[in-house]
């Protein structure tokens, strides 16, 4: 079932904010299938935290639609140790781009949030309606507060100014252009890099942070990009919408799967002095499923593809914008 197209993309000028990150680059790849014009600008030419500069860029380039995928992103350690950067950068990027979009009459904006906006002990799977019903996970509350503020600004501008601005909430993402740095990256790329290094260096142990018991849902970024373009064309609402696969795994299960793919025969050592973070993060995807979208890339196929990309293109990289 394909829902009716409310916002045709043909001939439109679409600004992908954050196009060099994992999410933004996947959106650019997906938009190549549409007959639209994509606008991008690198961080060297425009710092999205600089409001006057953002306003000048919007005045000059006049996008008709905006996909707001620019963010300071990182795994549990980066979030926990750089709370100021995660709060300030993400607040500034969100308010500057959303306000410039309102001021210049952008016809449609999609803001990308994160599943960490929901309470630490939310019911599982987590419905959109559990937003602001409980305390946040302390390791990422700074990032979450900034993402909640962006979502709320979209809602407020819909109500006050009639802007067609909506928010989507992706689950934990992975794929090409991810950050494979062991300290600042998320668990999936970090484990791929660690296990790959162990095999190459002939080591028989790999360290896993925490207990291995937390559960996470992993969505390939190409599936995410497909869902965002689907929603851009066919959906608009004040309430956010979750994007996930509907299935979660323990961190230990993820490690075993990566070991199988990479060919690691050794054992894992769990460092329980490192934080586990949220015990479980599984999104309720009933709203998205009812619209007719579902993910296509299995975790195993997605990890194999990401590992191929890592071996041919990366094996380096520090943190980057998402
Ligand atoms: O992916 P991750 O860093 O972020 O960690 P969150 C997920 C789980 O994997 C945690 C464990 O329980 C980690 O302790 N883990 C095990 C590891 N080994 C490793 C490792 O080598 N590296 C990493 N990074 N984790 C983030 C938030 O939370 O999720 C962000 O901090 C954002 O705000 C993102 O929302 C999606 O899933 O815990």
């Amino acid at each position: 079932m394909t829902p009716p197209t409310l916002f045709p993309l043909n001939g439109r000028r679409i600004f992908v904010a954050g196009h060099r990150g994992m999410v933004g680059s996947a959106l650019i790849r997906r938009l190549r299938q549409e007959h639209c014009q994509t606008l991008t600008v690198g961080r060297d030419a425009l710092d999205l935290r600089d409001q006057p500069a953002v306003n000048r860029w919007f005045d000059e380039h006049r996008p008709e639609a905006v996909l707001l995928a620019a963010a300071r992103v990182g795994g549990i350690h980066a979030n926990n140790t750089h709370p100021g950067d995660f709060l300030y950068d993400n607040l500034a990027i969100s308010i500057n781009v959303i306000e410039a979009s309102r001021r210049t009459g952008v016809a449609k904006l999609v803001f990308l949030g994160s599943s960490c906006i929901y309470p630490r002990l939310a019911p599982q799977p987590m419905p959109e309606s559990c937003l602001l019903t409980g305390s946040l996970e302390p390791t990422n509350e700074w990032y979450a507060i900034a993402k909640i503020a962006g979502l709320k600004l979209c809602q407020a501008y819909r109500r006050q100014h009639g802007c067609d601005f909506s928010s989507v909430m992706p689950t934990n993402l992975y794929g090409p252009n991810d950050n494979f740095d062991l300290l600042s990256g998320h668990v999936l790329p970090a484990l791929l890099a660690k296990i790959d290094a162990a095999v190459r260096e002939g080591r028989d142990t790999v360290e896993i942070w925490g207990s291995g018991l937390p559960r996470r849902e992993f969505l390939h970024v190409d599936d995410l990009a497909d869902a965002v373009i689907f929603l851009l064309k066919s959906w608009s609402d004040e309430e956010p919408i979750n994007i996930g696969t509907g299935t979660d795994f323990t961190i230990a299960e993820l490690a075993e799967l990566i070991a199988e793919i990479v060919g690691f025969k050794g054992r894992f050592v769990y460092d329980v002095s490192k934080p586990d973070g949220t015990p479980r993060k599984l999104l309720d995807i009933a709203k998205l499923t009812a619209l007719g979208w579902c993910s296509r890339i299995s975790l195993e196929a997605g990890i194999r593809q990401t590992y191929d990309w890592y071996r041919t293109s990366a094996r380096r990289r520090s943190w980057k914008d998402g």
Side-chain angles (χ1 to χ4, degrees):
M1 176 194 75
T2 310
T5 300
L6 306 174
F7 188 78
L9 303 187
N10 284 4
R12 300 254 196 200
R13 296 156 56 75
I14 303 179
F15 174 39
V16 178
H19 73 289
R20 290 199 179 128
M22 174 175 70
V23 172
S25 57
L27 288 169
I28 296 282
R29 284 196 297 281
R30 176 60 186 77
L31 282 170
R32 287 196 195 116
Q33 296 170 30
E34 308 290 332
H35 299 288
C36 62
Q37 186 188 341
T38 49
L39 303 178
T40 57
V41 57
R43 206 184 338 169
D44 40 342
L46 176 63
D47 182 346
L48 293 173
R49 297 168 303 180
D50 178 345
Q51 188 168 42
V54 172
N55 282 334
R56 282 194 297 277
W57 190 89
F58 269 76
D59 284 336
E60 190 178 335
H61 296 276
R62 295 271 160 183
E64 296 172 82
V66 172
L67 298 176
L68 181 34
R72 175 178 283 273
V73 294
I76 192 166
H77 179 76
N79 270 268
N80 211 12
T81 52
H82 294 78
D85 292 347
F86 276 81
L87 182 56
Y88 179 85
D89 289 357
N90 289 309
L91 275 176
I93 291 168
S94 303
I95 63 167
N96 291 344
V97 174
I98 294 168
E99 166 60 7
S101 299
R102 179 201 67 78
R103 207 179 45 76
T104 56
V106 164
K108 193 167 180 90
L109 177 145
V110 177
F111 173 71
L112 280 90
S114 164
S115 58
C116 71
I117 63 163
Y118 296 125
R120 169 185 164 79
L121 298 178
Q124 303 289 328
M126 303 183 286
E128 292 86 352
S129 57
C130 72
L131 180 67
L132 296 175
T133 58
S135 304
L136 296 166
E137 157 60 32
T139 55
N140 60 35
E141 66 179 325
W142 321 95
Y143 179 73
I145 293 269
K147 288 293 180 183
I148 293 170
L151 177 167
K152 286 289 167 192
L153 194 59
C154 290
Q155 280 185 348
Y157 279 9
R158 281 181 87 95
R159 287 192 191 182
Q160 187 179 339
H161 302 294
C163 299
D164 187 352
F165 295 176
S166 305
S167 301
V168 300
M169 295 301 132
T171 194
N172 286 32
L173 303 169
Y174 70 98
N177 291 317
D178 205 344
N179 173 11
F180 289 82
D181 180 71
L182 300 191
L183 263 189
S184 60
H186 287 98
V187 61
L188 195 154
L191 292 189
L192 258 182
K194 278 192 209 178
I195 295 172
D196 172 70
V199 170
R200 284 187 291 121
E201 292 158 17
R203 281 185 282 113
D204 62 2
T205 57
V206 167
E207 183 196 276
I208 310 270
W209 296 351
S211 64
L213 299 176
R215 302 186 70 90
R216 294 289 184 272
E217 179 187 14
F218 300 99
L219 179 71
H220 191 281
V221 72
D222 287 339
D223 268 340
L224 182 266
D226 191 63
V228 170
I229 302 309
F230 170 87
L231 292 168
L232 173 68
K233 289 198 282 195
S234 60
W235 171 84
S236 175
D237 198 8
E238 177 178 299
E239 297 305 323
I241 189 164
N242 291 338
I243 306 178
T245 64
T247 309
D248 63 351
F249 300 84
T250 66
I251 297 304
E253 287 168 342
L254 174 73
E256 295 297 342
L257 179 57
I258 294 176
E260 199 184 305
I261 290 168
V262 174
F264 174 66
K265 304 269 186 282
R267 65 191 173 86
F268 296 118
V269 177
Y270 290 89
D271 178 357
V272 291
S273 70
K274 299 281 198 320
D276 268 345
T278 312
R280 190 176 185 199
K281 258 195 289 184
L282 176 65
L283 288 176
D284 183 335
I285 52 167
K287 260 166 75 168
L288 184 58
T289 309
L291 287 172
W293 189 91
C294 63
S295 64
R296 294 201 199 108
I297 306 172
S298 71
L299 183 59
E300 182 176 344
I303 293 175
R304 286 191 189 282
Q305 185 256 15
T306 304
Y307 185 47
D308 283 347
W309 182 88
Y310 174 66
R311 279 188 302 184
T312 51
S313 317
R315 277 189 177 146
R316 53 192 162 83
R317 292 177 85 99
S318 56
W319 82 275
K320 60 175 174 41
D321 282 355

Coordinates of all heavy atoms in Angstrom, one line a residue, residues 91-164:
L91 N 21.5 22.2 20.2 CA 20.4 23.2 20.4 C 20.6 24.3 19.3 O 19.7 24.7 18.6 CB 20.6 23.9 21.7 CG 19.9 23.3 22.9 CD1 20.2 24.1 24.2 CD2 18.4 23.2 22.7
A92 N 21.9 24.7 19.1 CA 22.2 25.8 18.2 C 21.8 25.4 16.8 O 21.2 26.2 16.0 CB 23.6 26.3 18.3
I93 N 22.3 24.3 16.3 CA 22.0 23.8 15.0 C 20.5 23.7 14.7 O 20.0 24.2 13.7 CB 22.7 22.4 14.7 CG1 24.2 22.5 14.7 CG2 22.2 21.8 13.4 CD1 24.9 21.2 14.8
S94 N 19.8 23.2 15.7 CA 18.3 23.0 15.5 C 17.6 24.3 15.4 O 16.9 24.6 14.5 CB 17.8 22.2 16.6 OG 18.4 20.9 16.7
I95 N 17.9 25.2 16.4 CA 17.1 26.4 16.4 C 17.5 27.3 15.2 O 16.6 28.0 14.6 CB 17.2 27.2 17.7 CG1 18.6 27.7 18.0 CG2 16.6 26.5 18.9 CD1 18.6 28.8 19.1
N96 N 18.7 27.3 14.8 CA 19.1 28.2 13.7 C 18.5 27.7 12.4 O 18.0 28.5 11.6 CB 20.6 28.2 13.5 CG 21.3 28.9 14.7 OD1 20.7 29.7 15.4 ND2 22.6 28.7 14.8
V97 N 18.5 26.4 12.1 CA 18.0 25.9 10.9 C 16.5 26.0 10.8 O 15.9 26.4 9.8 CB 18.5 24.5 10.6 CG1 17.8 23.9 9.3 CG2 20.0 24.5 10.4
I98 N 15.8 25.7 12.0 CA 14.4 25.7 12.0 C 13.9 27.1 11.9 O 12.9 27.4 11.1 CB 13.8 25.0 13.3 CG1 14.2 23.5 13.2 CG2 12.3 25.2 13.5 CD1 14.0 22.8 14.6
E99 N 14.5 28.1 12.6 CA 14.1 29.5 12.5 C 14.3 30.1 11.1 O 13.5 30.8 10.5 CB 14.8 30.3 13.6 CG 14.7 31.8 13.5 CD 13.3 32.4 13.5 OE1 12.3 31.7 13.7 OE2 13.2 33.6 13.2
A100 N 15.5 29.8 10.5 CA 15.8 30.3 9.2 C 14.8 29.7 8.2 O 14.3 30.4 7.2 CB 17.2 29.9 8.7
S101 N 14.3 28.4 8.4 CA 13.4 27.8 7.5 C 12.0 28.5 7.6 O 11.3 28.8 6.6 CB 13.2 26.3 7.8 OG 14.4 25.7 7.7
R102 N 11.6 28.8 8.9 CA 10.4 29.6 9.1 C 10.4 30.9 8.4 O 9.5 31.3 7.6 CB 10.1 29.8 10.6 CG 8.8 30.5 10.9 CD 8.8 31.2 12.2 NE 9.8 32.2 12.4 CZ 9.6 33.5 11.9 NH1 8.6 33.8 11.3 NH2 10.6 34.4 12.1
R103 N 11.5 31.6 8.6 CA 11.7 33.0 8.2 C 11.7 33.1 6.7 O 11.1 34.1 6.1 CB 13.0 33.6 8.7 CG 13.0 35.1 8.9 CD 14.3 35.6 9.5 NE 15.5 35.0 8.8 CZ 16.0 35.3 7.6 NH1 15.4 36.3 6.9 NH2 17.0 34.7 7.1
T104 N 12.2 32.1 6.0 CA 12.3 32.2 4.5 C 11.2 31.4 3.8 O 11.2 31.2 2.6 CB 13.7 31.7 4.0 OG1 13.9 30.4 4.5 CG2 14.8 32.6 4.5
G105 N 10.2 30.9 4.6 CA 9.1 30.3 4.0 C 9.3 28.9 3.4 O 8.7 28.5 2.4
V106 N 10.2 28.1 4.0 CA 10.4 26.7 3.6 C 9.1 26.0 3.7 O 8.4 26.0 4.7 CB 11.5 26.0 4.5 CG1 11.5 24.5 4.3 CG2 12.9 26.6 4.2
A107 N 8.7 25.3 2.6 CA 7.4 24.6 2.5 C 7.3 23.4 3.4 O 6.2 23.1 3.9 CB 7.1 24.3 1.1
K108 N 8.4 22.7 3.6 CA 8.3 21.5 4.4 C 9.7 21.2 5.1 O 10.7 21.3 4.4 CB 7.9 20.3 3.6 CG 7.5 19.1 4.4 CD 6.8 18.1 3.6 CE 6.4 16.9 4.4 NZ 5.1 17.0 5.0
L109 N 9.7 20.9 6.3 CA 11.0 20.5 7.0 C 10.8 19.2 7.8 O 9.7 19.0 8.4 CB 11.4 21.7 8.0 CG 12.6 21.5 8.9 CD1 13.4 22.8 9.0 CD2 12.3 20.9 10.2
V110 N 11.8 18.4 7.7 CA 11.8 17.1 8.6 C 13.0 17.2 9.5 O 14.1 17.3 9.0 CB 11.8 15.9 7.7 CG1 11.8 14.6 8.6 CG2 10.5 15.8 6.8
F111 N 12.7 17.2 10.8 CA 13.7 17.2 11.8 C 14.0 15.8 12.3 O 13.1 15.1 12.6 CB 13.2 18.1 13.0 CG 14.1 18.1 14.2 CD1 15.4 18.8 14.1 CD2 13.7 17.5 15.3 CE1 16.2 18.8 15.3 CE2 14.6 17.5 16.5 CZ 15.8 18.1 16.4
L112 N 15.3 15.4 12.3 CA 15.7 14.1 12.8 C 16.1 14.1 14.2 O 17.0 14.8 14.6 CB 16.8 13.5 11.9 CG 16.3 12.9 10.6 CD1 16.3 14.0 9.5 CD2 17.1 11.7 10.1
G113 N 15.4 13.4 15.0 CA 15.7 13.3 16.5 C 16.4 12.0 16.8 O 17.2 11.5 16.0
S114 N 16.0 11.4 17.9 CA 16.7 10.1 18.3 C 15.8 9.4 19.3 O 15.0 10.1 20.1 CB 18.0 10.5 19.0 OG 18.5 9.4 19.7
S115 N 15.9 8.1 19.4 CA 15.1 7.3 20.3 C 15.5 7.6 21.8 O 14.7 7.3 22.7 CB 15.3 5.8 20.1 OG 16.6 5.4 20.2
C116 N 16.6 8.3 22.0 CA 17.0 8.6 23.4 C 16.2 9.8 24.0 O 16.4 10.1 25.1 CB 18.5 8.9 23.5 SG 19.0 10.4 22.8
I117 N 15.3 10.4 23.2 CA 14.4 11.4 23.8 C 13.4 10.8 24.7 O 12.8 11.5 25.5 CB 13.6 12.2 22.7 CG1 12.7 11.3 21.9 CG2 14.6 12.9 21.7 CD1 11.6 12.0 21.1
Y118 N 13.1 9.5 24.6 CA 12.1 8.9 25.5 C 12.7 8.5 26.9 O 13.9 8.4 27.0 CB 11.6 7.6 24.8 CG 10.9 7.9 23.5 CD1 11.2 7.3 22.3 CD2 9.9 8.9 23.4 CE1 10.6 7.6 21.1 CE2 9.2 9.2 22.2 CZ 9.6 8.6 21.1 OH 9.0 8.9 19.9
P119 N 11.8 8.4 27.9 CA 12.3 8.1 29.2 C 13.2 6.9 29.3 O 12.9 5.9 28.6 CB 11.1 8.0 30.0 CG 10.0 8.7 29.3 CD 10.4 8.6 27.8
R120 N 14.1 6.9 30.2 CA 15.0 5.7 30.4 C 14.2 4.4 30.6 O 14.6 3.4 30.1 CB 15.9 6.0 31.6 CG 16.7 4.9 32.1 CD 17.5 5.3 33.4 NE 18.0 4.1 34.1 CZ 19.0 3.3 33.8 NH1 19.8 3.7 32.7 NH2 19.3 2.3 34.4
L121 N 13.2 4.5 31.4 CA 12.4 3.3 31.8 C 11.0 3.4 31.1 O 10.0 3.0 31.7 CB 12.3 3.2 33.3 CG 13.6 3.0 34.0 CD1 13.4 2.9 35.5 CD2 14.4 1.8 33.5
A122 N 11.0 3.8 29.8 CA 9.8 3.8 29.1 C 9.2 2.4 28.9 O 10.0 1.5 28.8 CB 10.0 4.5 27.7
P123 N 7.9 2.3 28.7 CA 7.4 1.0 28.3 C 8.0 0.5 27.0 O 8.3 1.4 26.1 CB 5.9 1.2 28.1 CG 5.7 2.7 28.0 CD 6.9 3.3 28.7
Q124 N 8.2 -0.8 26.8 CA 8.8 -1.3 25.6 C 7.9 -2.2 24.8 O 7.2 -3.0 25.4 CB 10.1 -2.2 26.0 CG 11.1 -1.4 26.8 CD 11.9 -0.4 26.0 OE1 12.1 -0.6 24.8 NE2 12.3 0.7 26.6
P125 N 7.7 -2.0 23.5 CA 8.4 -1.0 22.7 C 7.8 0.4 23.0 O 6.7 0.5 23.5 CB 8.0 -1.4 21.3 CG 6.8 -2.2 21.4 CD 6.8 -2.9 22.7
M126 N 8.6 1.4 22.7 CA 8.3 2.8 23.2 C 7.5 3.5 22.2 O 7.9 3.8 21.0 CB 9.6 3.6 23.4 CG 10.6 2.9 24.3 SD 12.1 3.9 24.6 CE 13.0 3.6 23.1
P127 N 6.2 3.8 22.6 CA 5.4 4.6 21.6 C 5.7 6.1 21.7 O 6.3 6.6 22.7 CB 4.0 4.4 22.2 CG 4.2 4.1 23.7 CD 5.5 3.5 23.8
E128 N 5.4 6.8 20.6 CA 5.6 8.2 20.6 C 5.0 9.0 21.8 O 5.5 10.0 22.2 CB 5.1 8.8 19.3 CG 5.8 8.4 18.0 CD 5.3 7.0 17.4 OE1 4.4 6.4 18.1 OE2 5.7 6.6 16.3
S129 N 3.9 8.4 22.3 CA 3.2 9.1 23.3 C 3.9 9.1 24.7 O 3.5 9.7 25.6 CB 1.8 8.4 23.5 OG 2.0 7.1 23.8
C130 N 5.0 8.3 24.8 CA 5.7 8.3 26.1 C 6.7 9.4 26.3 O 7.3 9.6 27.3 CB 6.3 6.9 26.4 SG 7.8 6.6 25.4
L131 N 6.8 10.3 25.3 CA 7.7 11.5 25.4 C 7.3 12.3 26.6 O 6.1 12.6 26.8 CB 7.5 12.3 24.1 CG 8.4 13.6 24.1 CD1 9.8 13.2 24.0 CD2 8.0 14.5 22.9
L132 N 8.3 12.7 27.4 CA 8.1 13.5 28.6 C 7.2 12.9 29.7 O 6.6 13.7 30.4 CB 7.6 14.9 28.1 CG 8.6 15.7 27.3 CD1 8.0 17.0 26.8 CD2 9.9 16.0 28.0
T133 N 7.2 11.6 29.8 CA 6.5 11.0 30.8 C 7.4 10.4 31.9 O 6.9 9.8 32.9 CB 5.6 9.8 30.3 OG1 6.5 8.9 29.7 CG2 4.6 10.3 29.3
G134 N 8.7 10.6 31.8 CA 9.6 10.1 32.9 C 11.0 10.7 32.7 O 11.3 11.4 31.7
S135 N 11.9 10.3 33.6 CA 13.3 10.9 33.5 C 14.1 10.3 32.4 O 13.9 9.1 32.0 CB 14.0 10.5 34.8 OG 13.3 11.0 35.9
L136 N 15.0 11.1 31.9 CA 15.9 10.6 30.8 C 17.0 9.8 31.3 O 17.4 9.8 32.5 CB 16.4 11.9 30.0 CG 15.3 12.7 29.3 CD1 15.9 14.1 28.9 CD2 14.7 12.0 28.1
E137 N 17.7 9.1 30.3 CA 18.9 8.3 30.7 C 20.0 9.3 30.9 O 20.3 10.2 30.0 CB 19.2 7.4 29.5 CG 20.7 6.9 29.3 CD 21.2 6.2 30.5 OE1 20.4 5.4 31.2 OE2 22.4 6.3 30.8
P138 N 20.7 9.3 32.1 CA 21.7 10.3 32.4 C 22.9 10.4 31.4 O 23.4 11.5 31.2 CB 22.2 9.9 33.8 CG 21.2 9.0 34.4 CD 20.5 8.4 33.2
T139 N 23.3 9.3 30.8 CA 24.5 9.3 30.0 C 24.2 10.1 28.7 O 25.1 10.6 28.0 CB 24.9 7.9 29.5 OG1 23.9 7.2 29.0 CG2 25.5 7.2 30.7
N140 N 22.9 10.3 28.3 CA 22.7 11.1 27.1 C 21.6 12.1 27.2 O 21.0 12.6 26.2 CB 22.4 10.2 25.9 CG 21.3 9.3 26.1 OD1 20.3 9.6 26.7 ND2 21.3 8.1 25.5
E141 N 21.3 12.6 28.5 CA 20.2 13.5 28.6 C 20.5 14.9 27.9 O 19.6 15.5 27.5 CB 19.9 13.7 30.1 CG 20.9 14.4 30.9 CD 20.4 14.6 32.4 OE1 19.3 14.9 32.6 OE2 21.3 14.5 33.3
W142 N 21.8 15.2 27.8 CA 22.1 16.5 27.2 C 21.7 16.5 25.7 O 21.1 17.5 25.2 CB 23.6 16.8 27.4 CG 24.0 16.3 28.7 CD1 24.6 15.1 29.0 CD2 23.9 17.0 29.9 NE1 24.8 15.0 30.4 CE2 24.4 16.2 31.0 CE3 23.4 18.3 30.3 CZ2 24.3 16.6 32.3 CZ3 23.3 18.7 31.6 CH2 23.8 17.8 32.6
Y143 N 22.1 15.5 25.0 CA 21.7 15.3 23.6 C 20.2 15.2 23.5 O 19.6 15.8 22.6 CB 22.4 14.0 23.1 CG 22.1 13.6 21.7 CD1 22.7 14.3 20.6 CD2 21.3 12.5 21.4 CE1 22.4 14.0 19.3 CE2 21.1 12.2 20.1 CZ 21.6 12.9 19.0 OH 21.4 12.5 17.7
A144 N 19.6 14.4 24.4 CA 18.1 14.2 24.3 C 17.4 15.5 24.5 O 16.4 15.8 23.8 CB 17.7 13.2 25.4
I145 N 17.8 16.3 25.5 CA 17.1 17.6 25.8 C 17.2 18.5 24.5 O 16.2 19.2 24.1 CB 17.8 18.4 26.9 CG1 17.6 17.6 28.2 CG2 17.4 19.8 27.0 CD1 16.4 17.9 29.1
A146 N 18.4 18.5 23.8 CA 18.5 19.3 22.6 C 17.5 18.8 21.5 O 16.9 19.6 20.8 CB 19.9 19.3 22.1
K147 N 17.5 17.5 21.4 CA 16.6 16.9 20.4 C 15.1 17.1 20.7 O 14.3 17.4 19.8 CB 16.9 15.4 20.2 CG 18.2 15.1 19.5 CD 18.1 15.6 18.1 CE 19.4 15.4 17.3 NZ 19.4 15.9 15.9
I148 N 14.8 17.1 22.0 CA 13.4 17.4 22.4 C 13.1 18.9 22.1 O 12.0 19.2 21.6 CB 13.2 17.1 23.9 CG1 13.3 15.6 24.2 CG2 11.8 17.6 24.4 CD1 13.3 15.1 25.6
A149 N 14.0 19.7 22.3 CA 13.8 21.2 22.0 C 13.6 21.4 20.6 O 12.7 22.1 20.2 CB 15.0 22.0 22.5
G150 N 14.3 20.7 19.7 CA 14.1 20.8 18.2 C 12.7 20.3 17.8 O 12.0 21.0 17.1
L151 N 12.3 19.2 18.4 CA 11.0 18.6 18.1 C 9.9 19.6 18.5 O 9.0 19.9 17.8 CB 10.9 17.3 18.9 CG 9.7 16.4 18.9 CD1 10.2 15.1 19.5 CD2 8.6 16.9 19.8
K152 N 10.1 20.2 19.7 CA 9.1 21.1 20.3 C 9.1 22.4 19.5 O 8.0 23.0 19.3 CB 9.4 21.4 21.8 CG 9.1 20.3 22.7 CD 7.5 20.1 22.8 CE 7.1 18.8 23.4 NZ 5.7 18.6 23.3
L153 N 10.2 22.8 19.0 CA 10.2 24.1 18.1 C 9.4 23.8 16.8 O 8.6 24.7 16.4 CB 11.6 24.5 17.8 CG 11.8 25.9 17.3 CD1 11.2 27.0 18.2 CD2 13.2 26.3 17.0
C154 N 9.6 22.6 16.3 CA 8.8 22.3 15.1 C 7.3 22.3 15.4 O 6.5 22.9 14.7 CB 9.2 20.9 14.5 SG 10.8 20.9 13.8
Q155 N 6.9 21.7 16.5 CA 5.5 21.7 16.9 C 5.0 23.1 17.2 O 3.9 23.5 16.7 CB 5.3 20.9 18.3 CG 5.3 19.4 18.1 CD 5.0 18.8 19.5 OE1 5.1 19.4 20.6 NE2 4.8 17.5 19.4
A156 N 5.8 23.9 17.9 CA 5.4 25.3 18.2 C 5.2 26.1 16.9 O 4.3 26.9 16.8 CB 6.4 25.9 19.1
Y157 N 6.1 25.9 16.0 CA 6.0 26.7 14.7 C 4.8 26.3 13.9 O 4.3 27.0 13.1 CB 7.3 26.7 14.0 CG 8.4 27.6 14.5 CD1 8.2 28.3 15.7 CD2 9.5 27.9 13.8 CE1 9.2 29.2 16.1 CE2 10.5 28.8 14.2 CZ 10.3 29.4 15.4 OH 11.3 30.3 15.9
R158 N 4.5 25.0 14.0 CA 3.3 24.5 13.3 C 2.1 25.3 13.9 O 1.2 25.8 13.1 CB 3.0 23.0 13.5 CG 3.8 22.1 12.7 CD 3.5 20.6 13.1 NE 2.4 20.2 12.3 CZ 2.5 19.5 11.1 NH1 3.6 19.2 10.6 NH2 1.4 19.1 10.5
R159 N 2.0 25.3 15.2 CA 0.8 25.9 15.9 C 0.8 27.4 15.7 O -0.3 28.0 15.3 CB 0.9 25.6 17.4 CG 0.5 24.2 17.7 CD 0.3 24.1 19.2 NE 0.2 22.6 19.5 CZ 0.0 22.1 20.7 NH1 -0.2 22.9 21.7 NH2 0.0 20.8 20.9
Q160 N 1.9 28.1 15.9 CA 1.9 29.5 15.9 C 2.0 30.1 14.5 O 1.3 31.1 14.2 CB 3.1 30.1 16.7 CG 3.0 31.6 16.9 CD 4.1 32.1 17.7 OE1 4.7 31.4 18.5 NE2 4.4 33.4 17.6
H161 N 2.8 29.5 13.6 CA 3.0 30.1 12.2 C 2.5 29.2 11.1 O 2.6 29.6 9.9 CB 4.5 30.3 12.0 CG 5.1 31.1 13.1 ND1 4.9 32.5 13.2 CD2 6.1 30.8 14.0 CE1 5.6 33.0 14.2 NE2 6.3 32.0 14.7
G162 N 1.9 28.1 11.4 CA 1.3 27.2 10.3 C 2.4 26.5 9.5 O 2.2 26.2 8.3
C163 N 3.6 26.4 10.0 CA 4.7 25.8 9.2 C 4.5 24.3 9.1 O 4.1 23.7 10.1 CB 6.1 26.0 9.9 SG 6.6 27.7 10.1
D164 N 4.8 23.7 8.0 CA 4.7 22.3 7.8 C 6.1 21.6 8.2 O 6.8 21.2 7.4 CB 4.4 21.9 6.4 CG 4.1 20.4 6.2 OD1 4.3 19.7 7.1 OD2 3.7 20.1 5.1

